[in-house]
Amino acid sequence: MRRITDNVYLFWALLALPAIWFLVERLVLHGKVPYVPWTGLLSCWLLIVTMLVTPLQLLLGPLPWLKQRRRHLGVASFGYALLHLLFWLMNVNMGALVRSFLRVEILVGWISFAIMIPLLLTSNDQSVRKMGTDWKRLQRWVYPAAVLAYIHWLMTTHVMIEPVLYAAPLIVLTIWRIIRYRNRMRRV
């Protein structure tokens, strides 16, 4: 059983299964699934799980299996964000694309996506070694990217309860983490 759970290729295959299904459904079967919302939702879920790793470790203690896969989850989150963008682009013309930069609810999504590009490009061991402490500083840009993605989600959904419920654990644990950090700084 241990070999199955440690197999990184199996983990990537599981992360990729929904993407493969969406692509086959859309490009081969010409289905009518709401691809844009579902890929955006998966991207947000994966980003939330990625960001929950550290607060969960602070609360529960070491979670080595999850910590080792955090970068994979973050890269998969970007992959679904890219798929979200590609499916959206398939449904708009050039005029709508240009006008999207004037719509706040879409613009924050564009900015979030742009922030995630350097995070993706440096999510590898070589970048960690080469960049040293600057790598962690760059990777902290995930927080503004996540906030902008969350704003994009809130502004483009018709069901407000979903983004609130999905992000609630991250919000609560982040607030707890900030309070914990401030208390530790006061003691020093």
Side-chain angles (χ1 to χ4, degrees):
M1 184 63 169
R2 191 125 179 75
R3 285 190 174 185
I4 291 173
T5 59
D6 288 343
N7 188 324
V8 71
Y9 300 109
L10 179 61
F11 188 67
W12 272 112
L14 289 172
L15 289 172
L17 273 178
I20 294 166
W21 181 79
F22 285 134
L23 288 168
V24 169
E25 178 74 18
R26 173 67 170 95
L27 301 175
V28 178
L29 303 175
H30 306 289
K32 299 294 179 197
V33 173
Y35 307 102
V36 174
W38 274 109
T39 51
L41 191 62
L42 280 168
S43 177
C44 285
W45 284 346
L46 289 166
L47 186 58
I48 288 168
V49 171
T50 302
M51 294 177 70
L52 277 173
V53 173
T54 298
L56 283 174
Q57 286 188 123
L58 291 171
L59 189 62
L60 304 173
L63 300 169
W65 187 89
L66 193 55
K67 185 179 180 181
Q68 290 170 353
R69 284 148 186 83
R70 177 178 19 206
R71 263 193 267 164
H72 304 312
L73 293 164
V75 170
S77 174
F78 179 86
Y80 282 101
L82 178 61
L83 205 53
H84 176 71
L85 176 61
L86 293 175
F87 282 137
W88 181 77
L89 287 171
M90 292 170 119
N91 296 320
V92 298
N93 60 29
M94 187 56 79
L97 174 62
V98 171
R99 284 189 303 278
S100 73
F101 290 99
L102 302 175
R103 295 175 53 198
V104 174
E105 70 273 16
I106 306 299
L107 182 60
V108 293
W110 279 111
I111 295 168
S112 176
F113 185 78
I115 291 170
M116 289 178 75
I117 293 171
L119 303 181
L120 168 80
L121 295 175
T122 58
S123 287
N124 57 69
D125 292 337
Q126 183 181 357
S127 293
V128 173
R129 283 190 301 275
K130 191 173 183 178
M131 294 178 70
T133 57
D134 290 335
W135 183 84
K136 191 167 191 161
R137 191 173 307 122
L138 174 65
Q139 293 297 317
R140 285 191 180 126
W141 276 89
V142 72
Y143 295 101
V147 168
L148 291 170
Y150 188 66
I151 292 169
H152 170 70
W153 189 7
L154 284 171
M155 294 178 79
T156 56
T157 189
H158 299 291
V159 184
M160 294 298 281
I161 193 72
E162 283 183 3
V164 173
L165 286 177
Y166 292 137
L170 179 61
I171 293 167
V172 168
L173 285 173
T174 301
I175 291 169
W176 172 79
R177 190 175 175 191
I178 291 167
I179 292 168
R180 180 180 181 270
Y181 176 78
R182 284 187 176 175
N183 289 339
R184 291 178 79 196
M185 288 293 109
R186 284 186 189 141
R187 283 186 238 147
V188 173

